[in-house]
Each structure stands twice: as C-alpha cells, then as structure tokens.
Amino acid sequence: RWDAVLKGDQKKAYTYLTPEVRKTLTEEAYLKQARPTAAHQIKALRADCESAECMVVVEFTAKTGRRDLPPEITTSYRERWVRDQGQWWFKP
C-alpha cells in the first residue's frame, strides 16, 4: 500500500482498503479526498497481531520544505490491518 502511495498511485492504494470500506467509499470518492504524501521513505517497524487483526507501527520520513524546521522529520504511527478470507486489508 505504501509503495503505491509513495508513487502517487492512489488507484492502487485504494485496492488495499477492506472490502467493507470499499462498499461505502467508492474509488471516485477516495481519489477526490486522497492527497499526495510528503513522505519519501516508509518502513514498517513492527506488527502486533491477534488472529485476524494487526496493528502495524509505520515510520515515515518526510521533507519539511521549511527553513524554521529541520530539512526532514521522521515520525511513526499505527495502522490497522485485518484478515478477511485469507487476505490482509488496510482498515483506516
């Protein structure tokens, strides 16, 4: 999913959303709200899983483009992934 986001391929990123989410959020609506990311480097640090759900800690590095900040910042956050019928999906 993040490879697609970093390449600006939001159509591909949409395909990683859970089928449940895609039932209520059309591709067209997703593409309208999708924004380019400032991140240029992403890595998964760890996954804490219980049966069919994982919380993945993702670290990303982005250029700030501001003189009053360091040239790059690195931060992390958690993403939820769920397994449905043997397939893993991103659940925002």
Side-chain angles (χ1 to χ4, degrees), residues 6 18 21 28 53 56-57 59 80:
L6 289 175
T18 66
V21 170
E28 181 180 351
E53 183 171 312
V56 179
V57 177
E59 178 183 83
R80 183 171 29 169

Side-chain angles (χ1 to χ4, degrees), residues 27-91:
E27 181 179 325
E28 181 180 351
Y30 176 81
L31 294 175
K32 282 183 182 178
Q33 59 94 37
R35 301 283 178 255
T37 181
H40 65 87
Q41 182 179 351
I42 306 285
K43 89 175 141 174
L45 298 179
R46 74 175 185 276
D48 301 314
C49 302
E50 291 183 18
S51 68
E53 183 171 312
C54 289
M55 293 304 290
V56 179
V57 177
V58 179
E59 178 183 83
F60 67 94
T61 302
K63 296 181 186 210
T64 63
R66 292 181 47 180
R67 292 182 196 180
D68 60 331
L69 295 173
E72 291 185 339
I73 57 169
T74 299
T75 191
S76 63
Y77 76 100
R78 295 168 18 128
E79 288 189 339
R80 183 171 29 169
W81 287 77
V82 295
R83 184 173 51 208
D84 182 21
Q85 299 178 5
Q87 175 72 37
W88 284 97
W89 304 97
F90 171 61
K91 186 170 186 175

Side-chain angles (χ1 to χ4, degrees), residues 3-38:
D3 286 344
V5 172
L6 289 175
K7 291 176 184 172
D9 189 349
Q10 298 296 351
K11 284 187 175 195
K12 179 74 172 173
Y14 175 79
T15 68
Y16 287 92
L17 294 173
T18 66
E20 175 186 334
V21 170
R22 287 184 282 130
K23 283 180 186 175
T24 58
L25 178 65
T26 65
E27 181 179 325
E28 181 180 351
Y30 176 81
L31 294 175
K32 282 183 182 178
Q33 59 94 37
R35 301 283 178 255
T37 181

